[in-house]
Amino acid sequence: MTSGFSFYSQLKDRIAARTARVSTTGLGYVGLPLALTISEAGFPTLGFDLNTARVEDINAGKQVISYFPEDRIAKAIASGRFGATAESGRLAEADIILICVPTPLSATRDPDMTYVERAAETIAAHLRHGQMVVLESTVWPGATAQVVKPILERGGLRAGVDFFLGFSPEREDPGNHQYGTRDIPKIVGADDRHSRDLLAQFYSCIVTEAVPVSSSATAEAVKLVENSFRTVNIALVNEMKVALDAMGVDVWEVVRAAATKPFGYMPFYPGPGIGGDCIPVSPVYLSWRARDVGSETPLIDLARTTNDTAPDRIAGRVAVELAKNGGTPVKGARVLIMGIAYKKNIEDTRESPALYALNRLEEMGATCDYHDPYFPVMPLTRDHAPLAGRRSVPLTREGVASYDVVLVTTDHSDVDYALVAESARLILDTRNVFNTQDIPVAEGRLVKI
Ligand SMILES: NC(=O)c1ccc[n+]([C@@H]2O[C@H](COP(=O)([O-])OP(=O)(O)OC[C@H]3O[C@@H](n4cnc5c(N)ncnc54)[C@H](O)[C@@H]3O)[C@@H](O)[C@H]2O)c1
């Protein structure tokens, strides 16, 4: 009978030879770049996703993520080392299975682990001796051991003996051309020596550096600490913005100058709030788990409130600035929202503060249109379902001039801000885009909010 040690050494040899077959469960913003990076490192890689349309597009070599080099997917398919499937049975072929499924918030804004549970159940149905399973989705500390492991062990195989299990947080920054998946060190954690060793060996082949930590819970905590750090600092700079504004001081100039300090400071920039799948979500997973074990995270909770209320504050400022500039009441005002993506140059509206601000303004009686080159049509989002299907308006001089106010919520690069500067009656800029791009705006027509 084959022992745990021989499963370990067989997988070790396969990783060293790059013949270990890898499967990523989930081919979204995280799973797809990861799968491509793994195949580019020489491993035969099969992406598995329940979304058959996405699988077909990927297999056809289509550019499903706009900021990828145009031929990246097509090249990977042509290499013969990469493909996608919607057939869960093919997970049995894999030596290494990485889980990259969503971990959003539930309707009660608690951690929603159902995607992870379902993915683990699917893997469990095909689990065999000697496989390695790695959770990459952002979860609370302890989730790999307490949620995923029991599901995988239901069939009788034991983690660390019959199969290997660990956690490695995804640190993808969509649209970041300086740091792609390969350039970002990977934290790897597992609860037994063999799994830890295999994780470290595997990820060292994929990225510049694998950083082992002592347990899966430690690796899970690393991700939450990184994101909570951002949450707190973004809240801090948004608070600074309001206070400095009242003092007549430009927060962006302050941050730019402070960033020249070579130690002890890291710049964060104000904006309309936070969005995406990570920064608004991870701190919730951390504070939820802290409460679960009888602890508290008041600073993080306060930062969340500050960030969550930022879009309301922005909508309130729109009303005030309209009243100041010609006495236009917000009720009945026409507002052009520039950018519905949660950050620049990507096609992602999850938790986007622009949508919360848009909704708030319409509740206040304004009529809002939007312009976003990444979204000709407004996609369906959980909290803003009635907005789905609206269309991005074209950016023309007459069109822009017809709005009472233009509210810049996302600083996409591919937008004609000079046209906006020339035509808009009033611009409220939450991203400092006109100053950053050095675009002149007539006196009194630009307010940074
Ligand atoms: N997007 C980011 O910037 C980012 C960065 C770091 C970490 N993360 C984390 O990575 C994880 C994945 O996020 P994402 O942005 O890639 O999500 P995503 O929504 O872009 O993609 C998830 C994919 O998983 C598929 N899927 C869902 N359930 C499945 C199942 N049971 N089996 C197979 N496929 C399934 C979906 O169809 C979808 O294509 C989350 O935990 C997220 O918090 C995201």
Side-chain angles (χ1 to χ4, degrees), residues 23-320:
S23 186
T24 57
T25 292
L27 286 169
Y29 287 101
V30 163
L32 181 56
L34 182 64
L36 292 171
T37 307
I38 294 167
S39 84
E40 287 157 4
F43 290 88
T45 310
L46 182 67
F48 163 61
D49 201 296
L50 299 175
N51 182 340
T52 47
R54 191 165 178 89
V55 165
E56 279 164 21
D57 284 350
I58 291 170
N59 281 333
K62 286 196 189 155
Q63 171 90 344
V64 295
I65 293 186
S66 66
Y67 51 82
F68 274 180
E70 220 168 274
D71 56 352
R72 188 175 180 197
I73 297 173
K75 260 193 188 158
I77 300 279
S79 76
R81 274 198 310 274
F82 173 73
T85 184
E87 278 175 52
S88 61
R90 295 200 57 196
L91 288 173
E93 296 169 17
D95 299 302
I96 299 171
I97 302 173
L98 313 176
I99 306 177
C100 311
V101 297
T103 44
L105 301 180
S106 69
T108 52
R109 298 196 84 70
D110 288 322
D112 176 358
M113 294 285 289
T114 50
Y115 293 92
V116 170
E117 286 162 6
R118 265 186 240 134
E121 280 157 12
T122 306
I123 294 166
H126 305 284
L127 192 69
R128 57 171 175 79
H129 282 94
Q131 280 181 317
M132 177 163 84
V133 180
V134 185
L135 180 60
E136 293 233 359
S137 304
T138 306
V139 292
W140 42 267
T144 302
Q146 292 171 38
V147 176
V148 175
K149 184 176 163 204
I151 296 174
L152 296 180
E153 289 185 335
R154 272 179 204 160
L157 301 185
R158 286 159 306 152
V161 180
D162 303 308
F163 70 97
F164 306 99
L165 177 64
F167 182 83
S168 180
E170 188 45 62
R171 288 166 145 179
E172 191 72 16
D173 184 15
N176 187 329
H177 295 293
Q178 193 182 356
Y179 298 106
T181 313
R182 231 193 83 69
D183 315 307
I184 306 169
K186 281 287 255 168
I187 306 294
V188 294
D191 298 333
D192 67 274
R193 194 167 53 82
H194 283 164
S195 299
R196 213 162 29 244
D197 188 43
L198 289 169
L199 258 79
Q201 186 201 0
F202 171 62
Y203 283 103
S204 309
C205 303
I206 309 302
V207 296
T208 45
E209 190 187 356
V211 183
V213 295
S214 60
S215 66
S216 50
T218 306
E220 288 158 342
V222 170
K223 173 75 185 176
L224 300 188
V225 166
E226 288 169 2
N227 282 355
S228 299
F229 171 82
R230 286 184 66 82
T231 297
V232 170
N233 277 288
I234 292 168
L236 180 66
V237 77
N238 276 329
E239 184 177 287
M240 287 298 159
K241 196 211 163 307
V242 177
L244 292 176
D245 231 14
M247 300 172 207
V249 176
D250 181 338
V251 69
W252 280 280
E253 194 182 349
V254 171
V255 172
R256 232 187 351 262
T260 58
K261 187 177 180 185
F263 51 87
Y265 183 81
M266 178 184 281
F268 286 85
Y269 298 92
I274 52 173
D277 199 35
C278 277
I279 312 298
V281 175
S282 297
V284 181
Y285 276 64
L286 187 60
S287 49
W288 178 89
R289 181 62 175 153
R291 279 197 307 279
D292 198 36
V293 294
S295 188
E296 283 178 19
T297 54
L299 189 59
I300 292 172
D301 298 343
L302 181 60
R304 278 174 51 207
T305 309
T306 305
N307 292 328
D308 288 352
T309 52
D312 272 3
R313 182 181 61 75
I314 295 293
R317 268 303 286 279
V318 173
V320 170

